[in-house]
Amino acid sequence: MAKPSPLDTLADLAQNDTDAAARELGRLQGLRTQAEQQLNQLTQYRHEYRARMQAVAAEGMTSSRWQDFSRFLDSLDQAIRQQTAALAKAEADLLAGRNRWQHQKRRLNSFDTLIARAEAREEQVAARREQRANDEYAARLARTAATRLG
């Protein structure tokens, strides 16, 4: 078995880095999806709570009850703002993770290209060596035949 070349070692390391970046990208995608779902849930809950508040207000409510509803809506709005910021951060992290993965993938592809070129050069050298050996063998046969005839 042939000894692995330094390029093979570097390609293996690049493959490990690419795999790690892909796993991290998957994790970041999951976090982004989770943040989006939480924001959607908060927004939906706020919408439902506001509708309930309007229904109760239509029947009449005390000012203290109105303040309670308003305070809770304010706290929901604050939670929605925080979750919107969390979603924006998750999207930025996902974009950075995607860029890291793409960089690692390009690096791996570069090593693969270099390895393919090195293998092609080795095959050319081997083919020339074989051709030279065949040419020398044919020349020897010709010389041997000429000396027998001559």
Side-chain angles (χ1 to χ4, degrees), residues 9-22:
T9 303
L10 290 172
D12 288 344
L13 292 173
Q15 181 66 56
N16 292 343
D17 291 345
T18 302
D19 293 347

Side-chain angles (χ1 to χ4, degrees), residues 107-121:
R107 185 170 168 254
L108 175 61
N109 290 342
S110 296
F111 284 121
D112 288 343
T113 299
L114 290 173
I115 289 169
R117 287 179 187 165
E119 288 172 351
R121 278 193 304 275

Side-chain angles (χ1 to χ4, degrees), residues 7-43:
L7 274 180
D8 291 330
T9 303
L10 290 172
D12 288 344
L13 292 173
Q15 181 66 56
N16 292 343
D17 291 345
T18 302
D19 293 347
R23 284 189 300 276
E24 178 64 6
L25 183 59
R27 187 186 73 79
L28 291 170
Q29 178 62 47
L31 290 175
R32 189 238 171 254
T33 299
Q34 183 181 10
E36 182 179 37
Q37 288 171 347
Q38 288 173 348
L39 178 60
N40 290 340
Q41 289 171 347
L42 281 169
T43 303

Side-chain angles (χ1 to χ4, degrees), residues 3-150:
K3 179 179 140 190
S5 76
L7 274 180
D8 291 330
T9 303
L10 290 172
D12 288 344
L13 292 173
Q15 181 66 56
N16 292 343
D17 291 345
T18 302
D19 293 347
R23 284 189 300 276
E24 178 64 6
L25 183 59
R27 187 186 73 79
L28 291 170
Q29 178 62 47
L31 290 175
R32 189 238 171 254
T33 299
Q34 183 181 10
E36 182 179 37
Q37 288 171 347
Q38 288 173 348
L39 178 60
N40 290 340
Q41 289 171 347
L42 281 169
T43 303
Q44 180 64 31
Y45 184 65
R46 187 199 185 284
H47 176 72
E48 292 168 2
Y49 191 80
R50 178 130 174 100
R52 189 171 39 217
M53 177 180 156
Q54 288 172 343
V56 170
E59 296 173 5
M61 72 168 67
T62 64
S63 65
S64 67
R65 179 106 194 246
W66 176 263
Q67 288 175 350
D68 289 343
F69 269 107
S70 293
R71 273 195 296 274
F72 189 71
L73 275 177
D74 288 343
S75 66
L76 277 176
D77 288 340
Q78 176 63 25
I80 288 170
R81 283 191 295 278
Q82 289 174 348
Q83 193 58 38
T84 300
L87 177 58
K89 182 186 180 318
E91 287 175 343
D93 291 347
L94 178 60
L95 180 61
R98 187 174 295 122
N99 289 338
R100 277 191 300 276
W101 175 79
Q102 288 172 341
H103 170 76
Q104 292 299 335
K105 187 69 175 158
R106 282 191 303 272
R107 185 170 168 254
L108 175 61
N109 290 342
S110 296
F111 284 121
D112 288 343
T113 299
L114 290 173
I115 289 169
R117 287 179 187 165
E119 288 172 351
R121 278 193 304 275
E122 287 175 21
E123 288 173 9
Q124 286 176 340
V125 167
R128 282 191 211 116
R129 191 177 306 124
E130 185 178 344
Q131 184 62 46
R132 220 174 298 135
N134 288 338
D135 291 347
E136 289 174 11
Y137 180 71
R140 257 189 314 221
L141 281 178
R143 279 193 306 268
T144 303
T147 56
R148 286 185 186 160
L149 292 176

